[in-house]
Amino acid sequence: MQLTTSGWWWSGSAAAGLMLGAAASGLARRFLRHERTLAGAWWFGAMLTAAVLGSLGWRVGARGELAVYGFVAVLAIPLAVIDWCEHRLPRALMWPQLAGAILGFVVLCLVRHDPAPGVRALAALVAAGGLFLLLAVATGGGVGAGDVSVAAVVGLATGWIGWVQVVGALLTASLLALVMIAVPGVRRRDDDGAVMVPFGPCLLTGALVMVLAS
């Protein structure tokens, strides 16, 4: 019975991901400064979102967290696409994503009369965002403001589960970034010759891995 229930949640979430991803792909096209055939294609965003939401539906199931994680994921896809293509994360997508996730977790705390996960999630938001803010200052712009915001979202989403997941998400993101640095076709160099990689997709992938693994 459990397998049947999981299958329904997986298929339903994947179907919702197809529709929401197709709609959210318009955000990628809107915020991309240069036209990109694949990155702005509706079917590309739809397939990515369906895969992510289907995985979340299979793993999280009939729990309120699915709505929060699903909301974060729907906006995470265009953010990751934009950062991958142009190394920037628009605030117009970042702030609604962060605010929506906070609101969703607050509602869950109120409904369940259990503030502990919410308090931990907010503390993780501050910790992860603060860490990346320090890195941004220390590197003189090597870490962008968008990365700080994404780190805050990742801290919030994984902090709801536990501190181990917060650390795991950041470590996973760092490992992915190191792999990307080693791939010539992915890494780029700025005007000063420093190596650049899109860290937003790494952070968001790290958070997804931790949510699915927990």
Side-chain angles (χ1 to χ4, degrees):
M1 183 64 181
Q2 182 63 37
L3 291 175
T4 303
T5 303
S6 298
W8 277 109
W9 278 104
W10 178 89
S11 59
S13 298
L18 283 174
M19 295 182 291
L20 294 173
S25 64
L27 296 174
R29 290 192 298 272
R30 176 182 176 184
F31 287 100
L32 282 170
R33 292 171 177 168
H34 305 286
E35 183 177 352
R36 299 180 185 269
T37 303
L38 179 61
W42 69 267
W43 60 266
F44 182 68
M47 293 299 292
L48 285 178
T49 309
V52 173
L53 261 63
S55 300
L56 289 172
W58 164 74
R59 193 66 181 90
V60 179
R63 300 175 61 198
E65 285 85 352
L66 180 60
V68 182
Y69 289 138
F71 173 79
V72 172
V74 168
L75 290 181
I77 299 300
L79 280 168
V81 168
I82 294 168
D83 196 24
W84 183 275
C85 295
E86 300 182 352
H87 287 258
R88 62 188 185 87
L89 292 155
R91 294 187 186 92
L93 296 180
M94 287 298 318
W95 292 117
Q97 183 190 48
L98 181 58
I102 292 174
L103 178 61
F105 284 139
V106 168
V107 171
L108 290 180
C109 288
L110 293 175
V111 170
R112 296 173 180 175
H113 304 288
D114 182 12
V119 172
R120 183 177 58 239
L122 290 177
L125 180 158
V126 174
L131 172 62
F132 271 72
L133 181 59
L134 290 176
L135 290 175
V137 174
T139 59
V143 175
D147 295 327
V148 176
S149 299
V150 173
V153 172
V154 169
L156 179 73
T158 54
W160 178 264
I161 306 171
W163 286 106
V164 172
Q165 285 71 25
V166 178
V167 175
L170 298 181
L171 288 177
T172 301
S174 300
L175 290 174
L176 288 174
L178 289 175
V179 171
M180 292 170 66
I181 290 175
V183 179
V186 175
R187 69 188 183 202
R188 301 178 187 175
R189 294 187 180 273
D190 60 14
D191 296 336
D192 298 326
V195 176
M196 299 172 56
V197 295
F199 204 59
C202 298
L203 283 167
L204 294 168
T205 301
L208 177 62
V209 168
M210 287 299 105
V211 170
L212 295 179
S214 301

